[in-house]
Amino acid sequence: MVKHMIIWKLKEDVDKESVAKDIKASLEGLVGKIDGLIEMHILTEKLPSSSGDIMMDSTFESDDALKAYQNHPLHVEIANGKVRPNVDTRLSFDYEV
């Protein structure tokens, strides 16, 4: 299995609570719709010590499943329509479990 983690820092001029809620619902809704995507957890409740606004913790069957997810039309639609327009900074970390 492969873990795919992302931390996003949202743009200052967006309604962070509304954007985070929309991203969370959209990405978590992909489970069961994309082969190889096992789990998707979007964390929006953070401690004040956090430097990011949203964290994605996702699990895939394999590295190939992660690669397929990244190009899947459902994911691309959310990434291009809801995530990228509202994000200032993105960091990712992938690893095998």
Side-chain angles (χ1 to χ4, degrees):
M1 288 193 302
V2 169
K3 294 292 283 185
H4 176 57
M5 315 288 282
I6 296 179
I7 296 177
W8 290 291
K9 178 80 175 161
L10 297 174
K11 292 179 179 177
E12 289 301 318
D13 63 343
V14 302
D15 178 349
K16 291 185 179 189
E17 186 176 333
S18 174
V19 167
K21 188 176 185 178
D22 191 24
I23 289 172
K24 177 179 175 65
S26 298
L27 288 174
E28 288 180 350
L30 294 176
V31 176
K33 296 179 181 175
I34 298 179
D35 290 340
L37 172 58
I38 298 169
E39 293 181 316
M40 174 73 70
H41 302 286
I42 306 299
L43 306 164
T44 59
E45 300 297 322
K46 61 183 180 152
L47 295 176
S49 57
S50 299
S51 59
D53 295 308
I54 307 171
M55 184 180 130
M56 180 175 82
D57 176 0
S58 55
T59 307
F60 293 84
E61 290 177 357
S62 65
D63 189 43
D64 287 338
L66 172 57
K67 289 174 186 169
Y69 160 83
Q70 291 170 329
N71 295 308
H72 193 284
L74 292 175
H75 169 255
V76 170
E77 180 180 353
I78 294 167
N80 289 339
K82 298 179 184 233
V83 178
R84 291 184 182 111
N86 296 300
V87 167
D88 184 47
T89 304
R90 175 191 180 273
L91 297 172
S92 66
F93 192 90
D94 302 328
Y95 62 98
E96 289 190 38
V97 291

